[in-house]
Amino acid sequence: MRLFYKFRYLQRWGNTQLWQIKNTIKQINSLSAESEKSMISKSAFIWFICICAIVIFLFPIPTFAVQNEQINLTWELLQERVKSPILREGNLTVDLRKMVIDLRPENAIFRDNFYQLLRKELQKTGAKALGLDLSNSVIEGDFSGSDLGLRTPLYAQGIAQIFTPMEQEQLESLRSVCLQSLAVAFPNAKDCKSLLSNQSNNSSNIAVFRGALIMVESRFNGEVKFPNTFFLQSVNAQGANFLKPTNWDESRFGRTVSFSGAIFHAPSSFQGSIFFEKSNFQNSKFLDSANFQGDVFCNDAKFTQGKFQQLAKFNSSSWQGKANFSSVIFNNQVQFNKANFYQFLLMKDAVFKQVLIFRESEFNQSVDLQGASILNQADFSDVKFAETAFLNVPGLVFNSNQAKILGNVGEIGKKMIVPTLRGNQTILRNLSQNFRLQQQVSDANQLEYTKQRLRLIELSNQLVAVNINTASVNRLINLGFSATQVTEIIQIRKIKHFRNISELLVLPDVDLEIYNQLSDKIIAIEPLVLSGWLVKSLSWLLLSLLLLLSGYGTNFWLVFGVGGVVISCFGVLFWLVDRYRRLSPVPIIPRYYETICILFSFTCLISGSLLAIFRNSGSPWLTLLCLFIIIFPIPGMLVWRLYQQGRYHDLMDISYLTEDGTLRQLRLLIGRLPVIPRNPSFRERYMPLLWDRRWNWLNYYDFSLNNLVRLGFNDIRLRDEHLPGIISTLAWYQWSLGLLYIILAGWTLSRTIPGLNLLIYLK
């Protein structure tokens, strides 16, 4: 190695000398032109200079020339560095920087002495622990770092006899974290189990590295072994190169850990390790398999801009802080089976070229997949999401023809959210198609519901928000713009209309602060004429009704609940107008038994319907408000008018409702109308309801069911003689609502039945 550096120095020094020779030759040429009587010819002088240069090359290289290069670590130099530690990053460390440390088997004597001397110095008890600095060094052969630690059991008596009071306090504070993670992350970790016992156990021994470990830009040509090691101080391995396998299994990192920019050329294993403070693997490259199974990250963990070339395992890991995998490239499979994420999981702009597995994992906060690329398969099967946990997927790069997203049926679709419709229509369409291909109709419908809900928000903004292309000067000023800013906006929109509100940032007087304040209150669209505004208003109204009453055709139980409310309310209404007619001169009122039955049944029906609405509607109170507007204003005014004017007609003591007396069966009455024809033969077939029967109150629900969904046990209609027009209007009103309800229910069924759904959407 020394000959190599000498050769490089000779080459550079020789080039410098030749450059000086050339300059000298140029000077000689100029002198020879002035003096033709020179005693030494030019050719002879050139030969003289070349001979001098060759002689100089043969001299030994000065020692100062290699003082900045790596030097071989000898036994004498090691003793000297151990005796004179330096202060590095606030810690006393043995300075072995820029060394070539030969620990190969053929250098066994030096290797054994190296470990023996460093172990003796690093394990000394004292107020200040001694660290090790291997920055910019090259380590030949295997590096058994755990052999440099203080081998000790972790039961209470052993700790008290070996460590300083400060270190004892630190270990005691780490004890609770270790035990809390024992059952979840690594149930076979012997050192953590030993904390529960006061008896010594040789199998529970652990190597305690008391000082700081610095390996910045180090190069390890052999294996690195730190298994079952407890680092009480920080570990800094920024930019380190590990050419052979590294073993950090069941290690404990009591302070910050940094492998930023490190390159692992061979398999690396951190299985069962605990990171008590922040861990930094930013821009690290794992060119072979990476094993983080059973790890516990008690603080934030950063893997941003890293690269995993082969299989990456994070199974059964516990992340108590933020887990940041933004802009990471996974070229092979990555596994997070049974992982537990207490905080946010950030995977923004990450690339998954092979399978991503989160099977049986738990998420307590959101997972950010914004801009991520899923090119193969993402498996979220049996994942547990907290109520506040979601999959944030805006800008997700996902092609349903090439990749798949798996998850629990009826759950995974509800957990996928995007903030706006703009720019996310393609991903919503691809995700919906992905679930339809897997016959997860409920998840596909949930994404369709999300898409239409965002479309409703967009329509609302277009109708309500201030359009900067048409807003007046006063309105812009009242909104919060200054006079100067309004002037610039007016001048720009005279030339061309704004296409996006972000174009306001181009204006010199519009700063980011005012933009952020008003971005939710303004829009930039083409000016709307009256007809265009009316079309958008009708679209908004229709879309609102579809979302509130059926989840945009994605929730049949919501439609069922809406139908139950309408049927029960109109059933009671028809019972009221038919059985409670007047108090004088001859009272025509229902019996107490019938009143109790109708009220009790109404309470049961309305309760079940409300339960279905509240369990399935995204905005149950708005759904009820919508139903209230549909059911009560018009029928309420008609009933009020009916009792205000009174009833004075023939056949007052006979029910307004008649039933077909020829058949008694369940009927699907598609073409049925609410009033019987005037033909006398129909009057003979249809007979008035019997008021004196105890089950008579059921007929009113049957009539309401017939009117709404064209289904009933009997064909019950209104009579055609001596019928108040208001009662006929009530029946026709419900019948009209029934047409709309049948269309809504049929459309919803077509979107929720798997076979029919596939026939419609994948044809």
Side-chain angles (χ1 to χ4, degrees):
M1 184 66 70
R2 177 175 292 180
L3 291 175
F4 172 76
Y5 290 124
K6 285 183 178 181
F7 176 78
R8 292 181 59 186
Y9 173 76
L10 286 172
Q11 188 178 18
R12 292 196 299 267
W13 188 84
N15 292 335
T16 304
Q17 296 299 325
L18 290 176
W19 179 77
Q20 293 179 354
I21 292 171
K22 291 180 180 180
N23 288 340
T24 305
I25 293 174
K26 291 181 180 179
Q27 294 177 2
I28 292 173
N29 289 335
S30 61
L31 292 175
S32 61
E34 297 176 358
S35 175
E36 297 179 358
K37 298 179 180 181
S38 176
M39 297 296 296
I40 303 175
S41 65
K42 181 170 66 175
S43 60
F45 185 76
I46 293 175
W47 280 107
F48 174 76
I49 295 299
C50 292
I51 292 173
C52 292
I54 293 173
V55 173
I56 292 173
F57 288 158
L58 299 178
F59 282 101
I61 300 175
T63 57
F64 68 85
V66 294
Q67 63 183 359
N68 291 327
E69 302 292 344
Q70 291 171 329
I71 59 177
N72 286 328
L73 179 64
T74 62
W75 173 247
E76 293 78 11
L77 184 57
L78 176 61
Q79 290 178 314
E80 178 185 345
R81 295 297 177 90
V82 168
K83 292 179 181 178
S84 55
I86 64 171
L87 190 64
R88 183 79 189 278
E89 298 180 1
N91 299 300
L92 278 176
T93 59
V94 177
D95 184 14
L96 296 183
R97 293 177 295 174
K98 300 181 180 179
M99 299 285 183
V100 178
I101 306 174
D102 191 355
L103 303 178
R104 291 176 293 184
E106 50 266 29
N107 199 14
I109 297 176
F110 173 79
R111 180 191 62 189
D112 296 340
N113 292 333
F114 172 83
Y115 285 117
Q116 183 178 1
L117 179 59
L118 281 181
R119 186 186 305 115
K120 178 182 177 182
E121 295 298 325
L122 296 179
Q123 293 181 2
K124 282 184 177 180
T125 59
K128 195 70 173 179
L130 195 62
L132 180 62
D133 190 352
L134 299 174
S135 299
N136 301 106
S137 294
V138 176
I139 292 85
E140 301 287 351
D142 297 343
F143 183 70
S144 299
S146 57
D147 291 342
L148 301 177
L150 181 60
R151 184 66 61 176
T152 175
L154 281 181
Y155 60 93
Q157 289 84 349
I159 293 177
Q161 297 172 2
I162 298 173
F163 297 101
T164 64
M166 184 177 297
E167 291 171 339
Q168 293 179 35
E169 183 180 352
Q170 182 182 1
L171 289 172
E172 289 295 333
S173 65
L174 302 179
R175 177 193 299 267
S176 60
V177 180
C178 187
L179 294 178
Q180 289 173 4
S181 307
L182 178 62
V184 178
F186 40 90
N188 297 322
K190 297 177 181 179
D191 63 314
C192 280
K193 284 185 176 181
S194 67
L195 293 174
L196 294 173
S197 175
N198 290 327
Q199 298 180 356
S200 177
N201 184 359
N202 292 331
S203 64
S204 66
N205 286 351
I206 189 170
V208 179
F209 203 97
R210 302 176 61 201
L213 179 60
I214 305 174
M215 301 182 293
V216 177
E217 302 290 342
S218 298
R219 181 184 179 91
F220 295 87
N221 293 329
E223 295 186 15
V224 177
K225 303 175 183 178
F226 279 99
N228 207 28
T229 305
F230 208 138
F231 296 92
L232 295 182
Q233 301 299 325
S234 61
V235 176
N236 187 356
Q238 296 184 27
N241 255 287
F242 302 94
L243 301 184
K244 293 293 179 67
T246 59
N247 184 358
W248 307 80
D249 290 348
E250 295 194 8
S251 292
R252 314 287 176 253
F253 299 91
R255 292 288 184 265
T256 57
V257 178
S258 178
F259 285 90
S260 177
I263 303 177
F264 298 85
H265 296 266
S268 56
S269 180
F270 290 82
Q271 184 172 356
S273 297
I274 306 179
F275 299 84
F276 292 98
E277 297 293 337
K278 292 183 178 181
S279 53
N280 185 4
F281 289 85
Q282 184 178 8
N283 204 29
S284 297
K285 293 179 175 59
F286 296 86
L287 304 183
D288 211 305
S289 61
N291 187 356
F292 289 85
Q293 293 189 98
D295 283 14
V296 177
F297 297 86
C298 301
N299 211 310
D300 295 347
K302 182 185 292 186
F303 288 83
T304 55
Q305 300 176 346
K307 182 178 182 181
F308 291 83
Q309 190 68 29
Q310 298 298 328
L311 175 64
K313 294 183 179 180
F314 295 89
N315 300 327
S316 301
S317 54
S318 179
W319 309 76
Q320 299 177 15
K322 292 181 181 179
N324 194 343
F325 286 86
S326 299
S327 303
V328 175
I329 299 176
F330 295 94
N331 288 314
N332 210 302
Q333 186 179 120
V334 53
Q335 300 175 356
F336 287 94
N337 294 329
K338 298 182 180 180
N340 196 337
F341 297 90
Y342 291 86
Q343 297 295 327
F344 295 98
L345 173 59
L346 307 177
M347 290 186 165
K348 185 178 180 181
D349 298 321
V351 178
F352 303 95
K353 296 184 179 181
Q354 295 298 326
V355 180
L356 168 64
I357 304 176
F358 282 101
R359 201 170 296 141
E360 297 184 57
S361 295
E362 295 184 15
F363 297 102
N364 292 303
Q365 296 292 340
S366 297
V367 181
D368 189 1
L369 291 170
Q370 182 177 358
S373 300
I374 297 177
L375 306 180
N376 192 286
Q377 177 176 297
D379 189 354
F380 291 89
S381 301
D382 301 318
V383 169
K384 295 181 181 179
F385 289 95
E387 186 177 353
T388 57
F390 297 96
L391 296 176
N392 190 31
V393 294
L396 179 68
V397 179
F398 173 77
N399 191 332
S400 59
N401 295 326
Q402 302 173 358
K404 291 182 180 179
I405 294 181
L406 308 178
N408 294 348
V409 178
E411 181 180 355
I412 184 68
K414 295 179 180 179
K415 294 299 179 179
M416 292 184 172
I417 61 171
V418 293
T420 60
L421 185 61
R422 184 183 299 273
N424 293 304
Q425 296 191 39
T426 300
I427 178 59
L428 288 173
R429 182 173 61 252
N430 288 338
L431 289 173
S432 179
Q433 184 180 6
N434 166 78
F435 291 122
R436 293 193 194 281
L437 290 172
Q438 300 176 52
Q439 297 190 16
Q440 295 184 219
V441 178
S442 58
D443 296 307
N445 286 340
Q446 182 62 39
L447 289 170
E448 182 66 22
Y449 172 77
T450 300
K451 178 181 178 181
Q452 298 303 327
R453 183 174 54 82
L454 293 173
R455 180 166 168 256
L456 179 65
I457 295 174
E458 193 175 83
L459 280 173
S460 302
N461 289 334
Q462 293 177 4
L463 294 172
V464 177
V466 177
N467 187 2
I468 58 175
N469 289 321
T470 58
S472 62
V473 174
N474 292 334
R475 192 169 187 184
L476 291 174
I477 292 177
N478 294 334
L479 196 62
F481 288 106
S482 65
T484 305
Q485 294 169 346
V486 171
T487 302
E488 292 181 349
I489 293 174
I490 298 299
Q491 291 177 352
I492 292 296
R493 76 185 189 186
K494 286 181 179 179
I495 301 173
K496 65 173 184 177
H497 290 143
F498 291 95
R499 294 175 297 177
N500 196 299
I501 60 174
S502 60
E503 295 180 5
L504 290 173
L505 294 174
V506 180
L507 304 180
D509 290 324
V510 178
D511 54 8
L512 186 60
E513 181 179 358
I514 189 66
Y515 174 80
N516 291 332
Q517 291 177 358
L518 302 178
S519 58
D520 296 335
K521 302 178 182 179
I522 58 177
I523 57 172
I525 59 174
E526 293 295 326
L528 291 176
V529 296
L530 180 59
S531 59
W533 188 88
L534 290 175
V535 170
K536 285 187 178 295
S537 299
L538 292 175
S539 299
W540 177 88
L541 179 60
L542 178 60
L543 185 56
S544 299
L545 291 174
L546 292 176
L547 288 172
L548 291 175
L549 300 180
S550 68
Y552 200 76
T554 63
N555 197 322
F556 177 75
W557 284 109
L558 176 58
V559 177
F560 181 82
V562 169
V565 172
V566 176
I567 291 171
S568 57
C569 289
F570 273 94
V572 172
L573 182 63
F574 288 124
W575 170 82
L576 179 66
V577 299
D578 189 43
R579 296 292 288 116
Y580 193 92
R581 300 190 181 185
R582 68 187 183 189
L583 295 176
S584 61
V586 179
I588 303 177
I589 57 176
R591 294 176 298 175
Y592 288 111
Y593 173 80
E594 187 175 349
T595 303
I596 293 174
C597 288
I598 198 72
L599 293 179
F600 178 77
S601 61
F602 172 77
T603 302
C604 294
L605 288 174
I606 203 69
S607 298
S609 302
L610 291 178
L611 180 62
I613 290 174
F614 275 91
R615 286 181 61 88
N616 295 279
S617 176
S619 304
W621 291 108
L622 289 178
T623 300
L624 292 179
L625 177 62
C626 180
L627 282 176
F628 179 85
I629 295 174
I630 293 174
I631 294 176
F632 288 99
I634 294 178
M637 288 188 295
L638 292 174
V639 172
W640 176 81
R641 179 58 182 165
L642 177 66
Y643 283 100
Q644 182 190 41
Q645 69 182 13
R647 276 173 274 187
Y648 307 96
H649 56 75
D650 295 337
L651 303 178
M652 278 290 292
D653 56 348
I654 298 176
S655 175
Y656 296 126
L657 301 179
T658 60
E659 62 176 340
D660 186 356
T662 60
L663 293 173
R664 188 177 293 275
Q665 62 186 17
L666 182 65
R667 304 181 185 185
L668 184 62
L669 307 169
I670 299 298
R672 170 194 174 282
L673 296 178
V675 182
I676 64 173
R678 294 176 57 190
N679 192 300
S681 61
F682 276 87
R683 294 175 183 170
E684 295 176 359
R685 289 174 49 193
Y686 284 86
M687 305 174 65
L689 296 181
L690 300 177
W691 280 358
D692 57 349
R693 298 295 187 268
R694 298 174 65 88
W695 42 261
N696 177 61
W697 56 273
L698 289 172
N699 289 317
Y700 299 98
Y701 289 121
D702 197 5
F703 176 68
S704 181
L705 185 66
N706 281 339
N707 246 9
L708 191 71
V709 296
R710 312 299 189 263
L711 180 68
F713 295 97
N714 296 306
D715 184 7
I716 301 178
R717 309 191 193 189
L718 292 174
R719 70 191 188 193
D720 66 320
E721 293 180 306
H722 306 290
L723 177 68
I726 291 178
I727 298 177
S728 177
T729 304
L730 284 173
W732 281 104
Y733 180 72
Q734 190 195 18
W735 187 88
S736 303
L737 293 179
L739 285 180
L740 300 177
Y741 182 79
I742 290 173
I743 295 173
L744 180 65
W747 179 55
T748 303
L749 285 173
S750 71
R751 294 169 62 86
T752 54
I753 298 176
L756 185 58
N757 185 280
L758 291 175
L759 181 64
I760 294 174
Y761 290 97
L762 301 179
K763 59 184 179 180

